[in-house]
Amino acid sequence: LAQAFVTLATNDSYARGAMVLGKSLRNHKTSKKLVVLIGPHVSDQARAVLHKIFDEVRLVDVLDSGDTAHLAMMKRPDLGVTFTKLHCWTLTHYSKCVFMDADTLVVSNIDELFEREELSAAPDPGWPDCFNSGVFVFRPSNETYGKLLQYCTEHGSFDGGDQGILNDFFSDWATADINKHLPFIYNMSSIAIYTYLPAFKQYGANAKVVHFLGQMKPWSYTYNPTQRRVRGSSQPGLLLQWWALYSAEVLPMLIREYGDQPFNSGCEVRPKHTEQENNHPLVSSAERKQRWEQGQADYMGIDSFDNIQKKLDVFLK
Ligand code: UDP
Ligand code: GLC
Ligand code: MN
């Protein structure tokens, strides 16, 4: 049986994260399969792009803890749906998998994680005797899946999300086997910048996986492609890495799928008639069409969203 990296996206925002994660795994030459679990709300266009990046795109039911009280304590009312993550145990056509949140980014090859056993994970920065469920090694098994669901119905989750369940279920993680403690560099949350800056300065460069844990996700920001700046972020370094990959490799695929239909690219559109634009040699419309079809849309210039919108307006009138 093969081995796979698995992620999850129940909507188009997290799907963008999944696309960047998938690309980052490919760019670092993983030899493993890539699987994305999606919910029914993911758009057809996003699905089409996911199909190009992942080996398997699997539609699953969205499970929701409905536990508003515990989620409110975390100030994350949106995380009930992370129960959906538990579906990953049903991927029994793989012998071993590594689950990764859609808000993670791989910055070097991590195939060595498959040498670890279930359940291996890195400490949670907020409570290090809990593991963070943004990156973990597991063995698909319908039996385990059944037990997890049963656990959910009988006990609920202490945080309202999957991490609470998984820590209760694999409750000896903190004490039983040090091999199941992944080094923090396999799930380095950007929070470390604030909580332990000297350690981040000392070790941050060794990180293999960055996790944009917390309410603000890379795709919640707006990116200015001309200045290569992330608007409104005081610590833009890691975010810039995400945006560089998104804007260079994922956005062109999305633009191709959406064609003339508007969608939120997350990029600020360049003001018209900037110097660069005027210096760009004009291309013929046939050549432009050819480039577009090859996925090389000039999405920051002539093929920018506001130009597409103008064209649409003309048609509609
Ligand atoms: N997720 C999702 N849709 C949602 C919320 C979460 O698909 O509405 C998935 C996604 O893979 C995400 C993971 O569940 O990365 C965990 O949620 P999140 O990363 O937001 O939690 P955090 O790491 O910030 O605690
Ligand atoms: C966490 C984890 C995330 C998980 C969430 C809900 O903070 O980073 O992966 O889904 O808690 O339990
Ligand atoms: Mn996360």
PDB file of all heavy atoms in Angstrom, residues 72-83:
ATOM      1  N   ALA A  72     -16.121  28.890  21.810  1.00  0.00           N
ATOM      2  CA  ALA A  72     -16.105  30.295  22.217  1.00  0.00           C
ATOM      3  C   ALA A  72     -14.932  30.562  23.159  1.00  0.00           C
ATOM      4  O   ALA A  72     -14.296  31.617  23.101  1.00  0.00           O
ATOM      5  CB  ALA A  72     -17.424  30.653  22.893  1.00  0.00           C
ATOM      6  N   MET A  73     -14.621  29.574  23.984  1.00  0.00           N
ATOM      7  CA  MET A  73     -13.488  29.720  24.900  1.00  0.00           C
ATOM      8  C   MET A  73     -12.185  29.918  24.132  1.00  0.00           C
ATOM      9  O   MET A  73     -11.286  30.613  24.569  1.00  0.00           O
ATOM     10  CB  MET A  73     -13.378  28.449  25.752  1.00  0.00           C
ATOM     11  CG  MET A  73     -13.388  28.701  27.235  1.00  0.00           C
ATOM     12  SD  MET A  73     -12.899  27.221  28.079  1.00  0.00           S
ATOM     13  CE  MET A  73     -14.390  26.313  28.156  1.00  0.00           C
ATOM     14  N   MET A  74     -12.090  29.259  22.973  1.00  0.00           N
ATOM     15  CA  MET A  74     -10.895  29.404  22.116  1.00  0.00           C
ATOM     16  C   MET A  74     -11.014  30.628  21.208  1.00  0.00           C
ATOM     17  O   MET A  74     -10.132  30.888  20.412  1.00  0.00           O
ATOM     18  CB  MET A  74     -10.733  28.189  21.192  1.00  0.00           C
ATOM     19  CG  MET A  74     -10.160  26.961  21.821  1.00  0.00           C
ATOM     20  SD  MET A  74      -9.333  25.941  20.566  1.00  0.00           S
ATOM     21  CE  MET A  74     -10.705  25.390  19.567  1.00  0.00           C
ATOM     22  N   LYS A  75     -12.160  31.323  21.283  1.00  0.00           N
ATOM     23  CA  LYS A  75     -12.453  32.435  20.362  1.00  0.00           C
ATOM     24  C   LYS A  75     -12.398  31.977  18.902  1.00  0.00           C
ATOM     25  O   LYS A  75     -11.984  32.715  18.023  1.00  0.00           O
ATOM     26  CB  LYS A  75     -11.493  33.607  20.602  1.00  0.00           C
ATOM     27  CG  LYS A  75     -11.594  34.196  22.002  1.00  0.00           C
ATOM     28  CD  LYS A  75     -10.938  35.577  22.057  1.00  0.00           C
ATOM     29  CE  LYS A  75     -11.180  36.276  23.373  1.00  0.00           C
ATOM     30  NZ  LYS A  75     -10.565  35.555  24.531  1.00  0.00           N
ATOM     31  N   ARG A  76     -12.774  30.728  18.639  1.00  0.00           N
ATOM     32  CA  ARG A  76     -12.760  30.209  17.270  1.00  0.00           C
ATOM     33  C   ARG A  76     -14.056  29.464  16.959  1.00  0.00           C
ATOM     34  O   ARG A  76     -14.076  28.246  16.843  1.00  0.00           O
ATOM     35  CB  ARG A  76     -11.555  29.267  17.069  1.00  0.00           C
ATOM     36  CG  ARG A  76     -10.190  29.936  17.141  1.00  0.00           C
ATOM     37  CD  ARG A  76      -9.963  30.932  16.017  1.00  0.00           C
ATOM     38  NE  ARG A  76     -10.055  30.294  14.716  1.00  0.00           N
ATOM     39  CZ  ARG A  76      -9.047  29.647  14.132  1.00  0.00           C
ATOM     40  NH1 ARG A  76      -7.880  29.565  14.716  1.00  0.00           N
ATOM     41  NH2 ARG A  76      -9.209  29.089  12.952  1.00  0.00           N
ATOM     42  N   PRO A  77     -15.163  30.220  16.846  1.00  0.00           N
ATOM     43  CA  PRO A  77     -16.453  29.566  16.586  1.00  0.00           C
ATOM     44  C   PRO A  77     -16.455  28.721  15.316  1.00  0.00           C
ATOM     45  O   PRO A  77     -17.299  27.858  15.150  1.00  0.00           O
ATOM     46  CB  PRO A  77     -17.415  30.752  16.443  1.00  0.00           C
ATOM     47  CG  PRO A  77     -16.554  31.921  16.131  1.00  0.00           C
ATOM     48  CD  PRO A  77     -15.267  31.679  16.855  1.00  0.00           C
ATOM     49  N   ASP A  78     -15.487  28.978  14.443  1.00  0.00           N
ATOM     50  CA  ASP A  78     -15.464  28.310  13.142  1.00  0.00           C
ATOM     51  C   ASP A  78     -14.868  26.902  13.182  1.00  0.00           C
ATOM     52  O   ASP A  78     -14.895  26.187  12.188  1.00  0.00           O
ATOM     53  CB  ASP A  78     -14.649  29.166  12.162  1.00  0.00           C
ATOM     54  CG  ASP A  78     -13.278  29.544  12.719  1.00  0.00           C
ATOM     55  OD1 ASP A  78     -13.189  29.894  13.927  1.00  0.00           O
ATOM     56  OD2 ASP A  78     -12.285  29.470  11.972  1.00  0.00           O
ATOM     57  N   LEU A  79     -14.319  26.477  14.321  1.00  0.00           N
ATOM     58  CA  LEU A  79     -13.526  25.240  14.292  1.00  0.00           C
ATOM     59  C   LEU A  79     -14.291  23.951  14.567  1.00  0.00           C
ATOM     60  O   LEU A  79     -13.702  22.877  14.576  1.00  0.00           O
ATOM     61  CB  LEU A  79     -12.317  25.357  15.233  1.00  0.00           C
ATOM     62  CG  LEU A  79     -11.206  26.298  14.729  1.00  0.00           C
ATOM     63  CD1 LEU A  79      -9.968  26.164  15.587  1.00  0.00           C
ATOM     64  CD2 LEU A  79     -10.862  26.021  13.267  1.00  0.00           C
ATOM     65  N   GLY A  80     -15.636  24.042  14.765  1.00  0.00           N
ATOM     66  CA  GLY A  80     -16.418  22.814  14.963  1.00  0.00           C
ATOM     67  C   GLY A  80     -16.266  21.845  13.802  1.00  0.00           C
ATOM     68  O   GLY A  80     -16.229  20.624  13.986  1.00  0.00           O
ATOM     69  N   VAL A  81     -16.141  22.415  12.601  1.00  0.00           N
ATOM     70  CA  VAL A  81     -16.036  21.570  11.401  1.00  0.00           C
ATOM     71  C   VAL A  81     -14.720  20.797  11.333  1.00  0.00           C
ATOM     72  O   VAL A  81     -14.566  19.928  10.480  1.00  0.00           O
ATOM     73  CB  VAL A  81     -16.181  22.368  10.086  1.00  0.00           C
ATOM     74  CG1 VAL A  81     -17.553  22.980   9.970  1.00  0.00           C
ATOM     75  CG2 VAL A  81     -15.102  23.427   9.956  1.00  0.00           C
ATOM     76  N   THR A  82     -13.780  21.110  12.225  1.00  0.00           N
ATOM     77  CA  THR A  82     -12.513  20.372  12.160  1.00  0.00           C
ATOM     78  C   THR A  82     -12.710  18.899  12.555  1.00  0.00           C
ATOM     79  O   THR A  82     -11.826  18.090  12.328  1.00  0.00           O
ATOM     80  CB  THR A  82     -11.402  21.002  13.035  1.00  0.00           C
ATOM     81  OG1 THR A  82     -11.795  20.939  14.407  1.00  0.00           O
ATOM     82  CG2 THR A  82     -11.142  22.446  12.636  1.00  0.00           C
ATOM     83  N   PHE A  83     -13.884  18.548  13.098  1.00  0.00           N
ATOM     84  CA  PHE A  83     -14.206  17.127  13.311  1.00  0.00           C
ATOM     85  C   PHE A  83     -14.110  16.356  11.989  1.00  0.00           C
ATOM     86  O   PHE A  83     -13.857  15.161  11.974  1.00  0.00           O
ATOM     87  CB  PHE A  83     -15.631  16.975  13.872  1.00  0.00           C
ATOM     88  CG  PHE A  83     -15.704  16.936  15.373  1.00  0.00           C
ATOM     89  CD1 PHE A  83     -14.727  17.529  16.159  1.00  0.00           C
ATOM     90  CD2 PHE A  83     -16.757  16.291  16.011  1.00  0.00           C
ATOM     91  CE1 PHE A  83     -14.800  17.497  17.549  1.00  0.00           C
ATOM     92  CE2 PHE A  83     -16.838  16.238  17.397  1.00  0.00           C
ATOM     93  CZ  PHE A  83     -15.856  16.844  18.167  1.00  0.00           C
TER      94      PHE A  83
END
